[in-house]
Amino acid sequence: MSDAAVAALLRSDRRLVLIEAAAGCGKTYQGASYAKDAISTIGSGRLLILTHTHAACAVFAERTKGAGSRVEIKTIDALIMQVATAYHQALGLPADLASWAWRDNGKGFSIIASKVAMFLTAHPMVAKALATRYPVVVCDEHQDSSADQHIVVTALHRNGALLRIFGDPLQRIYGGRTAKEAKADQERWEALKDVAACEVLDSPHRWQTGCPELGAWIQLARQNLQSGQPIDLTGPKPRSLTILFANNTARQRGVYSLSRDVRRPIDRLVDSSDQLMILASQNELISALRAFWFRRIPIWEGHTRNALAGLIGVLKDRDGDAEGIVRGLIEFMSNVAVGFTPSSHGERLLQEVREGCIRRANGKPAHLQAIARLVLENPSSKGVSSAVELIRNLIRDKAPGFAEVKIDHWAEFGDAIRLGLFSDAEEGFAEIARRRSYSRPSPPLRALSSVHKAKGLECDHAMVMACDKAQFSATTYAKCRMYVALSRAKKSLTLVVSDSNPTPLFKL
């Protein structure tokens, strides 16, 4: 379908429009362009752009410069939190929603979404007030919406808001992972298409300024994945597509190892690249690759801070309990670093807390005693902040017992230190997250990233590591992750493929 036809439909008087858009085919351009035009038609209201990732928020913010406050951009979770915060008592939720939602690895968000969905359905006047404030809503990547998120969005539509939906079922990586959940999401998408005015974006704009041949190959790969066929790596390929064969020889889980001859061309490519996004499907592999390259390549941490959220939960539950807080600190350090474990540091640290730091100590025990003393003196977020700052200094100075500690998640580690700037841990966590949302950080030029955290981003050069059966099986979810990974690169793409345990998504 032509770009002009899509633009015309978006600007029509149809109340519900759905645009299916393959990766790199101008979805963000069309959505942002429409938003800038539509603000002149909505009176005193605001146009709302809803995304699923903060990376996508940043892209839309850049594309809608000049629209000012008339265009409001936020994640769907942020909109749900906005409603839940205003009505938390009626919903039976705590007032400190921002930090509560992150507890248990963010499971609170789904609870809040369910409650808000039911609330807006039962109280249409609230949905109508939202629709008055936001008379036009643009939903980005709607295929990733949960059933409850979908209900929230359609509640605004039922109560007067014009709805413009963009999505691509083959990029669904934030929904449920089981076949049953994937089927339910697909059925919801098809039902939406039945009642909406629909068009398709399929011109590969992303590669016009990169490598058009690569864009054409990725479109063909998309067709294969959609039809249930493997991606053919034996046929003609663009010159900017490189296939390297490598099989992980490590016997230990969480480790990635290659022979010298096999890793040489991979290292050569990485070392010669000024910009490269190295993508992997699982966080465990990301950590293994961080060690594989001797920690020369940073991890793109994105917006989420799961380890810090867990620490905040401990600080809330164990306020004033130095031993409980130190246990949380040990868990936090185990998640953001290597070399700082319960056995290597934690047991002695806990012993010092229990005994009140009364032993004479030198070297590593003395440093652990100093850390414990900071928490004993102030068993709160401020004490933890001071302890993490001391750990940072000990690592920097290569102090005895800390030279082997390596931080993998520096942004999260730094956020733990910044907690000390606030009187309350949950308030600090919420404010740090808010500042991060508005600053919209970008990945380093060379970075390791999970496929999930790369969603919404594009780069000139990408490498997909460990394309094997363990990382990419034959499930619908795996196909979506593969397609999202392949479609990030504009100029060149490298696939590191296993031929001993190959992914069924490739024909070798």
Side-chain angles (χ1 to χ4, degrees), residues 275-311:
Q275 182 278 313
L276 182 66
M277 182 175 286
I278 303 171
L279 299 166
S281 69
Q282 299 176 17
N283 288 328
E284 184 178 67
L285 180 56
I286 291 292
S287 298
L289 292 174
R290 170 87 164 139
F292 178 76
W293 276 297
F294 309 103
R295 292 184 162 75
R296 292 185 292 111
I297 303 175
I299 293 174
W300 166 234
E301 298 174 55
H303 187 270
T304 58
R305 299 288 185 267
N306 290 334
L308 184 60
L311 180 59

Side-chain angles (χ1 to χ4, degrees), residues 89-101:
Q89 289 181 324
L91 295 171
L93 292 168
D96 55 339
L97 277 177
S99 56
W100 181 86

